[in-house]
Each structure stands twice: as structure tokens, then as C-alpha cells.
Amino acid sequence: MPVPAECHTDDYVVEATFDAEQWFSQASDEEIVDLASCGWGGDYAADRVAEFIAGFHEQVSSVFIYLRIVAYKKDRPGYECFIDPAAAMTWIGEHRPHLLSRVQSTIE
């Protein structure tokens, strides 16, 4: 079941869309709860999703290549990653139903 996600550099020079299911499949329960508690993006928990996926996905990898290229700049950009909340909850419901109540309590 796909879990749509996207990441982009802060200057939007490089953007990537991807399926985060591979990350969810290998993530610990705590990592998933952390991701939910930050609102599914824009925080370190979501950054770890993009960092993991970069090892398998050329577009996501290009985000990090670009960041290395511009690392010398004074105002060098960072990046953000966001995961589709509805798809993530559906994935959790199907694959880790024991987490549903924990995740729901962190996002309410």
C-alpha cells in the first residue's frame, strides 16, 4: 500500500515525490509514533524518512546531492519532508493496528 510523501530543499530548487512505504515497513513503532507526533512532516522524524529513502530513490537522493553542492553558501538551504497523513494512517491500520490509538492520541 503506497504512502505518498514529498521532500524538497528549502529553496525549492530540488523537489521529489516518493512512496514512503518502504520506510514504514522497516520503522520501529516508536519511529512511527514520533513521525505522527510532529504532524507527519517538517521535523527531524520526517527528515529520517527522506534520508532512508534516498538510499533507494534517485529523486530523493538528488535532494541531498544538491545540498552537498550548495553547502559552501552562507545562506545554504536545508530541506523538509512531508508524509500524507491519511495514507500513513491507512497503512498503520492495515500493518500495525496496535499503534492506531497511540498515533491518534499524538495528533489530536
XYZ file of all heavy atoms in Angstrom:
858
model
N 0.838 -1.177 0.000
C 0.000 0.000 0.000
C 0.881 1.237 0.000
O 1.684 1.419 0.904
C -0.890 -0.022 1.237
C -1.202 1.346 1.762
S -2.483 1.368 2.952
C -3.852 1.145 1.884
N 0.766 2.070 -1.006
C 1.622 3.251 -1.088
C 1.317 4.286 0.001
O 0.174 4.443 0.436
C 1.346 3.821 -2.472
C 0.158 3.128 -2.999
C -0.102 1.920 -2.158
N 2.361 4.961 0.427
C 2.251 6.069 1.383
C 2.933 7.264 0.711
O 4.157 7.426 0.811
C 2.916 5.734 2.729
C 2.749 6.899 3.694
C 2.349 4.455 3.331
N 2.162 8.089 -0.009
C 2.761 9.210 -0.731
C 3.474 10.179 0.215
O 3.010 10.450 1.321
C 1.567 9.899 -1.391
C 0.492 8.858 -1.428
C 0.721 8.004 -0.218
N 4.611 10.679 -0.271
C 5.393 11.633 0.505
C 6.143 12.529 -0.470
O 6.240 12.237 -1.663
C 6.376 10.890 1.407
N 6.652 13.625 0.067
C 7.458 14.516 -0.754
C 8.516 15.167 0.108
O 8.353 15.305 1.320
C 6.590 15.576 -1.445
C 5.909 16.575 -0.528
C 6.723 17.851 -0.306
O 7.686 18.120 -1.041
O 6.403 18.581 0.628
N 9.611 15.520 -0.533
C 10.629 16.315 0.148
C 11.140 17.347 -0.844
O 11.039 17.171 -2.060
C 11.746 15.456 0.728
S 12.781 14.622 -0.463
N 11.648 18.417 -0.296
C 12.153 19.499 -1.138
C 13.203 20.286 -0.364
O 13.193 20.307 0.865
C 11.015 20.430 -1.570
C 10.318 21.073 -0.415
N 9.192 20.539 0.155
C 10.607 22.187 0.297
C 8.801 21.310 1.164
N 9.650 22.323 1.269
N 14.077 20.914 -1.128
C 15.019 21.821 -0.495
C 14.249 23.077 -0.098
O 13.204 23.388 -0.674
C 16.173 22.168 -1.455
O 15.654 22.730 -2.655
C 17.004 20.935 -1.768
N 14.760 23.783 0.890
C 14.063 24.977 1.369
C 13.880 26.020 0.274
O 12.921 26.795 0.309
C 14.809 25.601 2.555
C 14.758 24.731 3.800
O 13.871 23.851 3.889
O 15.618 24.925 4.679
N 14.778 26.030 -0.710
C 14.658 26.978 -1.816
C 13.857 26.403 -2.990
O 13.718 27.037 -4.023
C 16.035 27.451 -2.279
C 16.937 26.309 -2.742
O 16.469 25.146 -2.817
O 18.117 26.581 -3.012
N 13.357 25.207 -2.834
C 12.540 24.512 -3.840
C 13.262 24.301 -5.175
O 12.628 24.071 -6.192
C 11.200 25.219 -4.073
C 10.218 24.994 -2.951
C 10.192 25.852 -1.860
C 9.338 23.923 -2.971
C 9.311 25.641 -0.813
C 8.449 23.707 -1.934
C 8.434 24.571 -0.855
O 7.564 24.361 0.174
N 14.572 24.327 -5.173
C 15.308 24.037 -6.406
C 15.174 22.558 -6.751
O 15.057 22.197 -7.912
C 16.789 24.464 -6.276
C 17.630 23.932 -7.436
C 16.891 25.982 -6.185
N 15.176 21.708 -5.738
C 15.019 20.268 -5.962
C 13.838 19.773 -5.133
O 13.758 20.038 -3.932
C 16.300 19.488 -5.580
C 16.130 18.008 -5.882
C 17.518 20.051 -6.293
N 12.932 19.084 -5.803
C 11.757 18.505 -5.151
C 11.632 17.045 -5.583
O 11.997 16.698 -6.698
C 10.493 19.260 -5.560
C 10.514 20.738 -5.212
C 9.290 21.462 -5.726
O 8.168 21.092 -5.311
O 9.453 22.368 -6.547
N 11.100 16.235 -4.696
C 10.926 14.815 -5.022
C 9.652 14.302 -4.378
O 9.342 14.642 -3.239
C 12.126 14.016 -4.518
N 8.923 13.504 -5.120
C 7.791 12.777 -4.556
C 8.188 11.315 -4.528
O 8.942 10.833 -5.382
C 6.509 12.974 -5.393
O 6.753 12.551 -6.721
C 6.071 14.441 -5.384
N 7.676 10.599 -3.538
C 8.064 9.205 -3.388
C 7.046 8.455 -2.548
O 6.160 9.040 -1.946
C 9.464 9.086 -2.768
C 9.587 9.674 -1.380
C 9.454 8.887 -0.254
C 9.857 11.030 -1.212
C 9.576 9.423 1.023
C 9.989 11.585 0.048
C 9.847 10.780 1.174
N 7.211 7.142 -2.526
C 6.386 6.258 -1.709
C 7.187 5.920 -0.452
O 8.272 5.347 -0.538
C 6.065 4.996 -2.499
C 5.206 4.005 -1.741
O 4.866 4.250 -0.558
O 4.877 2.959 -2.332
N 6.662 6.278 0.699
C 7.361 6.061 1.968
C 7.077 4.694 2.587
O 7.529 4.406 3.689
C 6.988 7.159 2.958
N 6.365 3.831 1.881
C 6.008 2.527 2.452
C 7.235 1.728 2.890
O 7.210 1.066 3.931
C 5.179 1.706 1.478
C 4.756 0.376 2.080
C 3.886 -0.456 1.171
O 3.847 -0.201 -0.040
O 3.238 -1.375 1.704
N 8.295 1.798 2.132
C 9.497 1.050 2.489
C 10.042 1.502 3.845
O 10.509 0.697 4.644
C 10.555 1.223 1.400
C 11.730 0.298 1.541
C 12.655 0.368 0.333
O 12.482 1.179 -0.569
N 13.654 -0.485 0.316
N 9.964 2.792 4.110
C 10.398 3.288 5.422
C 9.472 2.750 6.514
O 9.926 2.253 7.532
C 10.432 4.820 5.468
C 10.847 5.310 6.813
C 12.127 5.492 7.256
C 10.000 5.627 7.925
N 12.126 5.911 8.568
C 10.819 5.997 9.004
C 8.618 5.635 8.114
C 10.317 6.374 10.246
C 8.114 6.007 9.350
C 8.966 6.365 10.397
N 8.159 2.861 6.294
C 7.198 2.384 7.291
C 7.412 0.906 7.598
O 7.320 0.491 8.752
C 5.753 2.616 6.820
C 5.241 4.000 7.093
C 5.485 5.034 6.209
C 4.523 4.268 8.249
C 5.019 6.311 6.463
C 4.054 5.544 8.515
C 4.310 6.569 7.616
N 7.694 0.114 6.587
C 7.862 -1.328 6.775
C 9.016 -1.674 7.698
O 8.958 -2.654 8.437
C 8.068 -2.017 5.424
O 6.910 -1.900 4.637
N 10.069 -0.870 7.671
C 11.231 -1.176 8.498
C 11.300 -0.333 9.776
O 12.127 -0.588 10.643
C 12.524 -1.007 7.684
C 12.795 0.394 7.163
C 13.376 1.336 8.184
O 14.326 0.987 8.873
N 12.801 2.519 8.300
N 10.437 0.652 9.913
C 10.482 1.563 11.068
C 9.999 0.873 12.340
O 9.131 -0.010 12.306
C 9.621 2.788 10.796
N 10.547 1.301 13.446
C 10.060 0.810 14.742
C 8.745 1.504 15.074
O 8.403 2.539 14.485
C 11.090 1.108 15.840
O 11.150 2.512 16.089
N 8.026 0.938 16.008
C 6.789 1.567 16.461
C 7.058 2.985 16.953
O 6.302 3.918 16.652
C 6.135 0.751 17.582
C 5.531 -0.558 17.087
O 5.508 -0.805 15.863
O 5.080 -1.342 17.956
N 8.137 3.172 17.692
C 8.467 4.494 18.235
C 8.761 5.498 17.133
O 8.378 6.666 17.230
C 9.635 4.410 19.213
C 9.277 3.759 20.529
C 8.055 4.376 21.212
O 7.988 5.616 21.337
O 7.163 3.616 21.615
N 9.439 5.058 16.082
C 9.730 5.964 14.967
C 8.441 6.420 14.287
O 8.307 7.591 13.911
C 10.652 5.287 13.956
C 12.072 5.125 14.446
C 12.919 4.283 13.529
O 12.444 3.235 13.037
O 14.086 4.679 13.314
N 7.498 5.514 14.153
C 6.214 5.878 13.539
C 5.447 6.838 14.436
O 4.884 7.835 13.972
C 5.392 4.611 13.213
C 6.085 3.825 12.090
C 3.958 4.971 12.829
C 5.501 2.456 11.814
N 5.437 6.584 15.725
C 4.755 7.485 16.663
C 5.422 8.860 16.644
O 4.734 9.892 16.644
C 4.725 6.879 18.090
C 4.233 7.894 19.109
C 3.854 5.624 18.112
N 6.744 8.901 16.608
C 7.463 10.187 16.527
C 7.075 10.956 15.269
O 6.872 12.168 15.304
C 8.975 9.972 16.535
C 9.518 9.575 17.888
O 8.790 9.698 18.901
O 10.688 9.133 17.940
N 6.982 10.250 14.149
C 6.599 10.885 12.892
C 5.186 11.468 12.993
O 4.948 12.610 12.590
C 6.697 9.889 11.745
C 6.309 10.387 10.363
C 7.178 11.559 9.927
C 6.394 9.240 9.356
N 4.279 10.708 13.543
C 2.906 11.200 13.709
C 2.863 12.411 14.636
O 2.152 13.390 14.375
C 2.008 10.092 14.246
N 3.645 12.372 15.701
C 3.583 13.449 16.696
C 4.130 14.773 16.175
O 3.830 15.822 16.728
C 4.285 13.039 17.991
O 5.662 12.906 17.772
N 4.900 14.742 15.097
C 5.377 16.008 14.515
C 4.473 16.462 13.375
O 4.831 17.365 12.621
C 6.835 15.893 14.070
S 7.121 15.002 12.534
N 3.324 15.834 13.245
C 2.388 16.244 12.198
C 2.734 15.705 10.831
O 2.359 16.278 9.811
N 3.489 14.606 10.798
C 3.837 13.899 9.565
C 4.814 14.676 8.682
O 4.952 14.382 7.503
C 2.598 13.514 8.754
C 1.614 12.716 9.522
C 0.425 13.155 10.022
C 1.722 11.336 9.915
N -0.210 12.140 10.691
C 0.564 11.005 10.642
C 2.683 10.356 9.719
C 0.339 9.743 11.170
C 2.468 9.096 10.246
C 1.297 8.803 10.961
N 5.499 15.668 9.223
C 6.488 16.348 8.399
C 7.060 17.593 9.025
O 6.604 18.061 10.074
N 8.098 18.109 8.360
C 8.695 19.359 8.789
C 9.503 19.266 10.064
O 9.736 20.275 10.720
N 9.955 18.075 10.427
C 10.695 17.887 11.671
C 11.710 16.754 11.458
O 11.710 16.090 10.430
C 9.727 17.530 12.799
C 10.274 17.854 14.176
O 11.468 17.597 14.419
O 9.499 18.342 15.022
N 12.546 16.540 12.479
C 13.596 15.528 12.363
C 13.056 14.130 12.089
O 13.686 13.359 11.359
C 14.481 15.510 13.612
C 15.281 16.771 13.783
C 15.094 17.584 14.887
C 16.220 17.156 12.832
C 15.833 18.759 15.037
C 16.957 18.313 12.970
C 16.760 19.116 14.079
O 17.483 20.261 14.214
N 11.920 13.790 12.655
C 11.356 12.454 12.421
C 11.057 12.252 10.937
O 11.295 11.173 10.380
C 10.108 12.247 13.264
N 10.556 13.273 10.277
C 10.280 13.187 8.840
C 11.567 13.232 8.028
O 11.674 12.571 6.990
C 9.346 14.309 8.418
N 12.555 13.987 8.501
C 13.852 14.027 7.809
C 14.435 12.624 7.699
O 15.013 12.257 6.676
C 14.844 14.913 8.558
C 14.496 16.391 8.502
O 13.568 16.778 7.769
O 15.175 17.157 9.216
N 14.266 11.834 8.750
C 14.813 10.473 8.740
C 14.150 9.607 7.666
O 14.784 8.699 7.120
C 14.693 9.842 10.123
C 15.680 10.456 11.117
C 15.752 9.711 12.417
N 14.541 9.807 13.227
C 14.296 10.810 14.084
N 15.159 11.776 14.238
N 13.190 10.809 14.785
N 12.897 9.890 7.346
C 12.222 9.154 6.274
C 12.920 9.454 4.946
O 13.288 8.537 4.206
C 10.724 9.523 6.192
C 10.061 8.825 5.012
C 10.009 9.181 7.494
N 13.135 10.734 4.651
C 13.798 11.108 3.392
C 15.220 10.569 3.338
O 15.666 10.088 2.289
C 13.800 12.630 3.243
N 15.937 10.641 4.448
C 17.311 10.141 4.479
C 17.358 8.639 4.176
O 18.225 8.167 3.441
C 17.953 10.436 5.836
C 18.191 11.914 6.046
C 18.442 12.293 7.491
O 18.490 11.399 8.368
O 18.574 13.504 7.754
N 16.421 7.892 4.727
C 16.356 6.457 4.461
C 16.019 6.193 2.995
O 16.686 5.400 2.319
C 15.315 5.797 5.377
C 15.084 4.350 5.066
C 15.949 3.381 5.557
C 14.024 3.952 4.272
C 15.751 2.033 5.254
C 13.813 2.615 3.969
C 14.682 1.652 4.458
N 14.987 6.850 2.497
C 14.518 6.619 1.127
C 15.561 7.037 0.098
O 15.638 6.469 -0.990
C 13.175 7.345 0.893
C 12.069 6.732 1.758
C 12.779 7.341 -0.575
C 11.707 5.296 1.434
N 16.404 8.017 0.429
C 17.434 8.470 -0.517
C 18.345 7.333 -0.961
O 18.872 7.362 -2.078
C 18.258 9.593 0.107
N 18.494 6.325 -0.128
C 19.318 5.182 -0.492
C 18.698 4.302 -1.568
O 19.380 3.431 -2.124
N 17.427 4.528 -1.866
C 16.709 3.682 -2.825
C 16.053 4.465 -3.954
O 15.533 3.871 -4.887
C 15.591 2.899 -2.108
C 16.072 2.143 -0.916
C 15.967 2.690 0.358
C 16.661 0.896 -1.055
C 16.423 2.002 1.467
C 17.124 0.209 0.049
C 17.001 0.763 1.322
N 16.019 5.771 -3.850
C 15.214 6.588 -4.751
C 16.062 7.730 -5.306
O 16.511 8.601 -4.566
C 14.012 7.124 -3.970
C 12.948 7.726 -4.796
N 13.061 8.977 -5.359
C 11.725 7.262 -5.147
C 11.949 9.261 -6.014
N 11.129 8.224 -5.907
N 16.261 7.725 -6.622
C 17.155 8.698 -7.252
C 16.707 10.141 -7.055
O 17.535 11.023 -6.796
C 17.264 8.387 -8.752
C 18.321 9.193 -9.452
C 18.499 8.772 -10.899
O 18.237 7.607 -11.232
O 18.900 9.634 -11.687
N 15.420 10.415 -7.175
C 14.927 11.788 -6.995
C 15.202 12.300 -5.586
O 15.613 13.433 -5.401
C 13.419 11.853 -7.256
C 13.028 12.426 -8.577
C 11.525 12.651 -8.604
O 10.732 11.846 -8.109
N 11.127 13.754 -9.185
N 14.943 11.464 -4.593
C 15.191 11.879 -3.208
C 16.688 12.037 -2.984
O 17.134 12.997 -2.343
C 14.570 10.888 -2.206
C 14.880 11.305 -0.775
C 13.058 10.782 -2.420
N 17.464 11.160 -3.530
C 18.915 11.269 -3.431
C 19.406 12.592 -4.012
O 20.345 13.212 -3.481
C 19.575 10.093 -4.151
O 20.971 10.193 -4.085
N 18.771 13.051 -5.084
C 19.187 14.313 -5.711
C 18.993 15.508 -4.788
O 19.717 16.498 -4.889
C 18.469 14.521 -7.048
O 17.095 14.738 -6.850
N 18.040 15.430 -3.873
C 17.868 16.495 -2.872
C 19.151 16.624 -2.051
O 19.678 17.730 -1.865
C 16.653 16.210 -1.954
C 16.622 17.163 -0.767
C 15.352 16.273 -2.744
N 19.679 15.513 -1.608
C 20.872 15.531 -0.757
C 22.141 15.852 -1.551
O 23.056 16.495 -1.029
C 20.984 14.218 0.007
C 19.833 14.032 0.950
C 18.769 13.214 0.620
C 19.791 14.724 2.145
C 17.683 13.074 1.471
C 18.712 14.588 3.006
C 17.654 13.760 2.675
N 22.188 15.447 -2.809
C 23.324 15.812 -3.661
C 23.368 17.325 -3.832
O 24.418 17.962 -3.684
C 23.243 15.084 -5.023
C 23.469 13.587 -4.830
C 24.234 15.685 -6.024
C 23.129 12.745 -6.048
N 22.221 17.917 -4.123
C 22.145 19.371 -4.260
C 22.586 20.062 -2.968
O 23.346 21.037 -3.008
C 20.724 19.785 -4.645
C 20.504 21.279 -4.609
C 20.987 22.091 -5.638
C 19.819 21.879 -3.563
C 20.785 23.466 -5.609
C 19.625 23.248 -3.526
C 20.109 24.039 -4.546
O 19.917 25.400 -4.513
N 22.135 19.575 -1.851
C 22.507 20.198 -0.570
C 24.015 20.140 -0.334
O 24.592 21.080 0.224
C 21.750 19.537 0.583
C 20.246 19.795 0.594
C 19.575 18.968 1.672
C 19.936 21.276 0.763
N 24.653 19.066 -0.757
C 26.112 18.985 -0.635
C 26.791 19.985 -1.573
O 27.792 20.599 -1.227
C 26.605 17.570 -0.910
C 26.367 16.627 0.263
C 27.121 15.315 0.110
N 26.735 14.528 -1.054
C 25.711 13.679 -1.098
N 24.948 13.503 -0.038
N 25.455 12.990 -2.191
N 26.229 20.172 -2.753
C 26.810 21.107 -3.731
C 26.753 22.544 -3.212
O 27.703 23.312 -3.400
C 26.083 20.985 -5.093
C 26.415 19.641 -5.736
C 26.437 22.147 -6.019
C 25.563 19.300 -6.945
N 25.659 22.918 -2.552
C 25.498 24.314 -2.091
C 25.894 24.496 -0.626
O 25.658 25.555 -0.051
C 24.058 24.817 -2.325
C 23.713 24.807 -3.805
C 23.052 24.005 -1.523
N 26.515 23.506 -0.040
C 26.869 23.564 1.379
C 27.805 24.719 1.706
O 27.836 25.187 2.841
C 27.486 22.240 1.825
N 28.558 25.202 0.740
C 29.505 26.293 0.973
C 28.822 27.656 1.090
O 29.409 28.621 1.576
C 30.528 26.348 -0.164
C 29.917 26.813 -1.465
C 29.913 28.160 -1.803
C 29.312 25.909 -2.333
C 29.322 28.590 -2.982
C 28.722 26.333 -3.500
C 28.733 27.673 -3.830
O 28.143 28.106 -4.986
N 27.582 27.771 0.620
C 26.892 29.058 0.612
C 26.604 29.539 2.033
O 26.285 28.739 2.918
C 25.571 28.957 -0.152
C 25.730 28.816 -1.632
C 24.361 28.859 -2.296
C 24.486 28.961 -3.788
N 23.194 29.157 -4.429
N 26.665 30.840 2.200
C 26.383 31.433 3.511
C 24.943 31.117 3.947
O 24.699 30.747 5.077
C 26.605 32.937 3.462
C 26.347 33.623 4.775
C 26.566 35.107 4.683
C 26.238 35.731 6.022
N 26.351 37.178 5.981
N 24.017 31.296 3.035
C 22.600 31.043 3.337
C 22.153 29.725 2.725
O 21.112 29.647 2.080
C 21.732 32.190 2.818
C 22.033 33.490 3.516
O 22.330 33.458 4.721
O 21.988 34.544 2.849
N 22.931 28.692 2.951
C 22.620 27.405 2.329
C 21.257 26.894 2.799
O 20.880 27.048 3.967
C 23.702 26.395 2.630
C 23.786 26.028 4.095
C 24.913 25.038 4.321
N 24.987 24.724 5.722
C 26.031 24.973 6.484
N 27.101 25.524 5.970
N 26.017 24.661 7.743
N 20.527 26.286 1.867
C 19.199 25.779 2.227
C 19.281 24.460 2.992
O 20.287 23.753 2.925
C 18.521 25.565 0.874
C 19.654 25.269 -0.054
C 20.812 26.100 0.452
N 18.207 24.152 3.676
C 18.019 22.847 4.274
C 16.987 22.104 3.445
O 16.834 22.366 2.255
N 16.253 21.236 4.075
C 15.207 20.507 3.358
C 14.086 20.133 4.324
O 14.254 20.180 5.542
C 15.761 19.250 2.688
C 16.157 18.166 3.658
C 15.300 17.109 3.939
C 17.389 18.197 4.312
C 15.667 16.110 4.827
C 17.752 17.213 5.195
C 16.898 16.173 5.455
O 17.243 15.189 6.343
N 12.958 19.781 3.750
C 11.823 19.311 4.536
C 11.203 18.116 3.840
O 11.301 17.975 2.626
C 10.780 20.416 4.713
C 11.267 21.526 5.599
C 10.155 22.462 6.020
O 9.158 22.598 5.282
O 10.290 23.056 7.091
N 10.542 17.302 4.639
C 9.874 16.113 4.136
C 8.486 16.057 4.777
O 8.326 16.386 5.963
C 10.690 14.876 4.514
S 9.938 13.311 4.007
N 7.493 15.668 3.991
C 6.121 15.546 4.473
C 5.509 14.254 3.957
O 5.673 13.906 2.787
C 5.276 16.738 4.005
C 5.760 18.042 4.565
C 6.682 18.812 3.881
C 5.317 18.481 5.800
C 7.151 20.005 4.396
C 5.779 19.673 6.337
C 6.704 20.439 5.635
N 4.795 13.573 4.835
C 4.148 12.305 4.507
C 2.645 12.527 4.516
O 2.123 13.227 5.383
C 4.548 11.207 5.526
C 6.013 10.784 5.337
C 3.691 9.968 5.372
C 7.033 11.719 5.830
N 1.941 11.922 3.575
C 0.487 12.052 3.506
C -0.142 11.428 4.752
O -0.027 10.210 4.959
C -0.027 11.358 2.250
C -1.524 11.468 2.107
O -2.243 10.683 2.763
O -1.967 12.330 1.332
N -0.807 12.232 5.587
C -1.340 11.713 6.851
C -2.400 10.618 6.685
O -2.366 9.613 7.402
C -1.958 12.941 7.529
C -1.358 14.119 6.848
C -1.007 13.669 5.461
N -3.320 10.802 5.745
C -4.394 9.816 5.570
C -3.823 8.478 5.119
O -4.217 7.417 5.624
C -5.429 10.333 4.574
N -2.890 8.522 4.177
C -2.282 7.277 3.696
C -1.465 6.609 4.805
O -1.480 5.384 4.941
C -1.403 7.558 2.479
N -0.770 7.419 5.599
C 0.009 6.862 6.708
C -0.910 6.164 7.711
O -0.608 5.053 8.168
C 0.814 7.960 7.398
N -2.023 6.793 8.039
C -2.965 6.188 8.992
C -3.568 4.904 8.417
O -3.748 3.926 9.147
C -4.059 7.189 9.362
C -3.570 8.352 10.195
S -2.860 7.865 11.781
C -4.329 7.331 12.640
N -3.845 4.901 7.129
C -4.379 3.689 6.500
C -3.342 2.570 6.566
O -3.668 1.424 6.899
C -4.787 3.970 5.037
O -5.792 4.982 5.039
C -5.310 2.717 4.359
N -2.085 2.904 6.271
C -1.015 1.906 6.340
C -0.893 1.358 7.757
O -0.796 0.144 7.957
C 0.321 2.509 5.880
C 1.390 1.471 5.753
C 1.739 0.804 4.626
C 2.223 0.952 6.800
N 2.743 -0.104 4.898
C 3.059 -0.027 6.244
C 2.345 1.213 8.154
C 4.003 -0.743 6.972
C 3.282 0.505 8.903
C 4.098 -0.457 8.308
N -0.906 2.231 8.732
C -0.799 1.795 10.130
C -1.970 0.886 10.486
O -1.790 -0.153 11.125
C -0.729 3.013 11.081
C 0.600 3.752 10.867
C -0.883 2.578 12.534
C 0.647 5.134 11.487
N -3.172 1.264 10.068
C -4.347 0.447 10.353
C -4.256 -0.949 9.774
O -4.710 -1.922 10.382
N -3.635 -1.071 8.611
C -3.513 -2.373 7.966
C -2.327 -3.191 8.463
O -2.395 -4.414 8.525
C -3.412 -2.194 6.453
C -4.723 -1.781 5.824
C -4.671 -1.795 4.311
O -3.783 -2.465 3.727
O -5.528 -1.133 3.711
N -1.216 -2.517 8.791
C 0.018 -3.231 9.104
C 0.438 -3.184 10.572
O 1.173 -4.065 11.016
C 1.167 -2.693 8.240
C 0.924 -2.868 6.787
N 1.142 -4.056 6.126
C 0.459 -2.011 5.847
C 0.834 -3.918 4.853
N 0.414 -2.693 4.658
N -0.005 -2.165 11.291
C 0.342 -2.040 12.713
C -0.872 -1.525 13.498
O -0.818 -0.470 14.131
C 1.504 -1.065 12.912
C 2.730 -1.355 12.081
C 3.887 -1.831 12.902
N 5.052 -2.003 12.054
C 6.167 -1.305 12.131
N 6.319 -0.391 13.056
N 7.161 -1.542 11.304
N -1.970 -2.265 13.445
C -3.200 -1.776 14.089
C -3.036 -1.501 15.581
O -3.757 -0.664 16.136
C -4.219 -2.886 13.820
C -3.416 -4.088 13.452
C -2.136 -3.589 12.853
N -2.087 -2.149 16.225
C -1.853 -1.917 17.652
C -1.362 -0.486 17.918
O -1.441 -0.010 19.050
C -0.846 -2.937 18.203
C 0.516 -2.824 17.588
N 0.828 -3.389 16.357
C 1.639 -2.191 18.015
C 2.095 -3.112 16.066
N 2.609 -2.383 17.058
N -0.909 0.213 16.875
C -0.421 1.588 17.040
C -1.489 2.655 16.822
O -1.265 3.813 17.159
C 0.710 1.873 16.036
C 2.077 1.341 16.330
C 3.058 1.791 15.256
C 2.559 1.805 17.687
N -2.613 2.276 16.272
C -3.614 3.279 15.897
C -3.991 4.216 17.036
O -4.000 5.432 16.865
C -4.873 2.618 15.329
C -4.840 2.312 13.847
C -6.099 1.565 13.433
C -4.661 3.573 13.025
N -4.310 3.680 18.185
C -4.740 4.551 19.285
C -3.601 5.451 19.758
O -3.825 6.619 20.066
C -5.323 3.744 20.443
O -4.339 2.879 20.980
N -2.379 4.946 19.801
C -1.226 5.777 20.195
C -1.006 6.908 19.217
O -0.782 8.056 19.607
C 0.052 4.942 20.273
C 0.238 4.235 21.577
C 1.566 3.509 21.636
N 2.702 4.430 21.730
C 3.944 4.060 21.517
N 4.236 2.823 21.185
N 4.920 4.929 21.639
N -1.058 6.586 17.934
C -0.832 7.600 16.911
C -1.951 8.637 16.933
O -1.696 9.841 16.901
C -0.699 6.954 15.519
C -0.763 7.975 14.413
C 0.591 6.157 15.435
N -3.190 8.188 17.041
C -4.305 9.116 17.074
C -4.228 10.044 18.265
O -4.541 11.224 18.171
C -5.632 8.351 17.057
C -5.912 7.745 15.699
C -7.079 6.787 15.691
O -7.435 6.219 16.704
N -7.678 6.605 14.535
N -3.762 9.542 19.402
C -3.665 10.407 20.596
C -2.563 11.440 20.458
O -2.631 12.500 21.063
C -3.451 9.561 21.856
O -2.157 8.997 21.863
N -1.546 11.179 19.627
C -0.470 12.157 19.454
C -0.853 13.259 18.479
O -0.264 14.328 18.533
C 0.839 11.511 18.952
O 0.634 11.001 17.641
C 1.312 10.428 19.878
N -1.826 12.996 17.612
C -2.183 14.009 16.601
C -3.455 14.770 16.949
O -3.843 15.654 16.221
C -2.274 13.380 15.197
C -3.294 12.261 15.131
C -0.928 12.903 14.742
C -3.463 11.644 13.763
N -4.066 14.435 18.051
C -5.304 15.152 18.438
C -4.996 16.325 19.306
O -4.009 16.538 19.885
C -6.250 14.193 19.163
C -6.792 13.160 18.218
C -7.659 12.129 18.910
O -7.706 12.064 20.145
O -8.311 11.380 18.190
